[in-house]
Amino acid sequence: MGPSGAGKSTLMNILVGYVTSGVSGQIRINGEPRKLALFNKMSSYLLQEDLLQPFLTVREAMTTSAHLKLGMQLTIKEKNKKIDEILATLGLKSCAKTFCDKLSGGQRKRVSVALELVSDPLVIFLDEPSSGLDVVSTNQTLQLLKLLASQGRTVICTIHQPTASLFHQFDNIYMVGSGKCIYQGQPAQLVSFLSTLGYQCPETHNPADYVFEVLSPDLMDNMSEEMQNGKLVWLDQKSQFIEQAGRDELVLPNSVDLNFAVPFWMQFRLLFSRMMLQKRRHKGGLWLQVIHHIFSALLIGCIFQGVGQDARRPFDNFKFVLCVSVFFMYTHCMVPVLTYPTDVKIMKREFFNRWYSLKAYYLAKTFSTIPLILILGFMFTVIVYFMSDQPMEPKRFAWFALNCSLIALTSEGLGILIGFNFNCTNGTVVGPSTMAPILMLSMHGMGYGQTIEPFMYYIMKASYLRFGLVSIITALYLDNRVMLCNEGDEDPYCYYRDARLLVRDLAMEGEVTVNQMLGLAFYCVLFRVLAFFSLRYKTTTEFSNTILVYMMKIVKRK
């Protein structure tokens, strides 16, 4: 407990192990140094923000949690029975078929607790469980936590400023001010502790309110000094006798399986199924994407209608290819930039509470987006290809559609990389700022008679969009393509009747379609690999520790 900025959440994150970098000292359990891997297996952490899967019902969310956290320990019938017991205990049976985004604040808090109770953790940490709740919902939440504690669990939570009735429901409080312990003990003994320092709390006052009303830097220092910064516990006489006789300790098993409850491929299957189910139910989002692709395709098709076969307008056709490429780049880059920061918050909570591995999540997330990208992309390319009157050859259309899909998947990889590292506000700045130089480099040298300087040739390789543009142009114009100036016109002065001349003037002479597609595929893989390691670095110190150990080994060898 403590005022805003006192360090409550920071202390909670350190105790849980959510934050490990920049921390000194030791954390002990029953007098023994904490083994973080074992402790994480035996505990659960509920963050202040109740992030739930919006398009799952409460029962569906509980079922997924049970499959991931319990594995093969119980049969499906036993898991359903356990789910029913938890829902009944937490008063959630009436909303078992309600979608999570339709729940009230108090119900969301209880569902968050219910999802973690599936594995029956010994210790439950909660950061501000009363945040955003009214008095009634807060009281219900505190009653629930007391019930869980009475069943043999250790419940630890942070709270800002409780009412008098809620304040006295806690067994013990640890009060923080400016990062120091200013009181530790029973709530009922706070008044007597303050009196020893010369502060008399009126009988009609809430002690939790009074201590903050009189709290000053000097009093804070005096309280911390009196408590020896948390080394003492203020108890009444009866409690002191119990304390001397021996306090109950947290019983941790000697050995526990630290692996995830289910194997990797089952994690992938469960997560993939959950993601696809939510995509199907998010009808508003699906229709928006369908309308966006159809409307954009019709707009581009109308602007560049009939340019594909006209040798008099070859550069208009190049603009068409550029428009299509830019559409796929911006559309599929910005979607993950805007949506992934929220998804990562949910993932971090589930991953920290040992639901699944990062590899399973990332693989499921990657594969869950591919079907929709391919379907919408194919629909878009069919419309623009035929409206712009490109060559009606199956081979050329296949190359065109495949390149568009690769640009979309590569752009999505870039968007994922940005979305994992920046919040939505910063991502909307970083995304376009990253794509702008990629677009500029892709067009360098693509003008009539313009040559490319040797050093720019290699710099342009940094633009994956250039690989896509060159690949599409070479696929459309090479391989014995003959252009038409007018229908049946045999005018010998029709300059671009030989399509190879256009390829030359666009500074693409000597380029091979397959090689350009391989370059595009390389960037597609590169962005996704970087995104995975970025996600891993943000959620665990394992990667940074691995690099550090490797570097230390090299130094020792030298």
Side-chain angles (χ1 to χ4, degrees), residues 96-124:
K97 296 183 179 180
T98 305
F99 287 105
C100 291
D101 64 335
K102 304 295 184 183
L103 298 173
S104 66
Q107 289 173 332
R108 291 176 66 86
K109 186 69 66 177
R110 280 179 282 160
V111 170
S112 298
V113 175
L115 292 173
E116 301 302 332
L117 284 181
V118 167
S119 58
D120 199 18
L122 296 175
V123 187
I124 302 175

Side-chain angles (χ1 to χ4, degrees), residues 333-334 337 414 417-419 421-437:
C333 182
M334 292 308 297
V337 166
L414 176 61
L417 179 59
I418 296 171
N421 288 280
F422 299 93
N423 58 33
C424 289
T425 304
N426 294 334
T428 54
V429 176
V430 175
S433 301
T434 305
M435 288 184 283

